[in-house]
């Protein structure tokens, strides 16, 4: 499996933050809008405005999935329902064109479905949360990014991911 290549250049980071600010308030509790966007983003201002409108119309129509091209960038938008009301409302993932966006959407969804509820409801006595899902090593960066962006509150001192090859990677310390 090819390693997903995520983008963290200034344009990508600004676009994602602007989307989070503009759309986050419109997302209902218990839902997260996840967008994947191919890079490079050549028309960031116009692309951001178009993505804001797309996300808002998707929320109004309660569409679960949208796939479009916006100013030359392939965009996939998913409305994910979950049981973690404290999770971030908007997650934007900017990636290279050779990265499978479904893989990135799946990583985010698996965190929300698989561990979100347990992380949010942890008792004070617990010290570590272990995600033993046999994740491919090539996906560690995607899991780490998604975990940080979801900002799920947890009382765990450490959150670790057990990989398919038996290694352990830290998501949160």
């Amino acid at each position: 499996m090819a390693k997903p290549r995520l983008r963290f250049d200034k344009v990508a980071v600004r676009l994602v933050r602007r989307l989070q600010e503009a759309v986050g308030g419109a997302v209902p509790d218990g839902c997260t809008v996840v967008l994947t966007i191919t890079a490079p983003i050549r028309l960031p201002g116009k692309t951001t405005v178009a993505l804001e409108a797309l996300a808002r119309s998707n929320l109004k129509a309660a569409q679960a999935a949208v796939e479009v091209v916006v100013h030359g960038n392939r965009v996939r938008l998913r409305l994910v329902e979950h049981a973690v009301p404290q999770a971030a409302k908007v997650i934007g993932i900017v990636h290279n064109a050779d990265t499978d966006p479904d893989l990135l959407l799946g990583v985010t969804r698996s965190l929300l479905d698989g561990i979100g509820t347990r992380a949010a409801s942890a008792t004070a006595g617990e010290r570590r949360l272990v995600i033993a899902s046999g994740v491919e090593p090539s996906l560690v960066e995607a899991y780490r990014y998604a975990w940080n962006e979801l900002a799920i509150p947890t009382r765990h001192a450490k959150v670790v991911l057990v990989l398919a090859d038996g290694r352990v990677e830290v998501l949160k310390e």
Side-chain angles (χ1 to χ4, degrees):
M1 179 179 309
K3 180 179 177 178
R5 294 179 21 206
L6 306 181
R7 298 287 292 260
F8 302 103
D9 54 79
K10 286 192 301 188
V11 172
V13 170
R14 281 188 201 142
L15 180 137
V16 169
R17 294 298 174 237
R18 194 165 149 198
L19 284 172
Q20 290 170 330
E21 292 169 6
V23 179
V27 179
D29 286 341
C31 291
T32 297
V33 172
V34 183
L35 290 120
T36 64
I37 308 145
T38 58
I41 300 167
R42 291 189 177 90
L43 300 171
K46 290 180 180 181
T47 301
T48 303
V49 170
L51 292 177
E52 288 174 17
L54 176 69
R56 289 183 186 281
S57 67
N58 182 59
L59 287 169
K60 286 181 183 169
Q63 289 181 298
V66 176
E67 295 180 26
V68 296
V69 175
V70 177
H71 300 293
N73 301 97
R74 285 189 343 251
V75 175
R76 292 195 183 190
L77 183 146
R78 298 290 186 271
L79 180 61
V80 180
E81 293 184 44
H82 52 79
V84 189
Q86 310 93 328
K89 299 291 187 176
V90 178
I91 302 295
I93 306 170
V94 181
H95 60 89
N96 286 0
D98 61 350
T99 296
D100 180 4
D102 286 331
L103 190 73
L104 300 172
L105 292 163
V107 164
T108 305
R109 175 154 211 124
S110 73
L111 286 172
L112 285 167
D113 289 346
I115 64 165
T117 304
R118 286 181 287 242
S121 63
T123 62
E126 293 177 296
R127 307 282 281 159
R128 292 178 180 85
L129 176 62
V130 178
I131 306 166
S133 60
V135 170
E136 289 299 317
S138 62
L139 297 179
V140 170
E141 181 183 0
Y143 269 90
R144 191 171 284 125
Y145 177 78
W147 177 263
N148 287 332
E149 290 298 304
L150 284 168
I152 297 170
T154 178
R155 296 183 186 131
H156 295 91
K158 188 180 272 193
V159 177
V160 297
L161 184 67
V162 178
L163 306 180
D165 63 6
R167 287 185 296 134
V168 174
E169 289 285 337
V170 176
L171 295 183
K172 173 198 171 232
E173 284 196 75

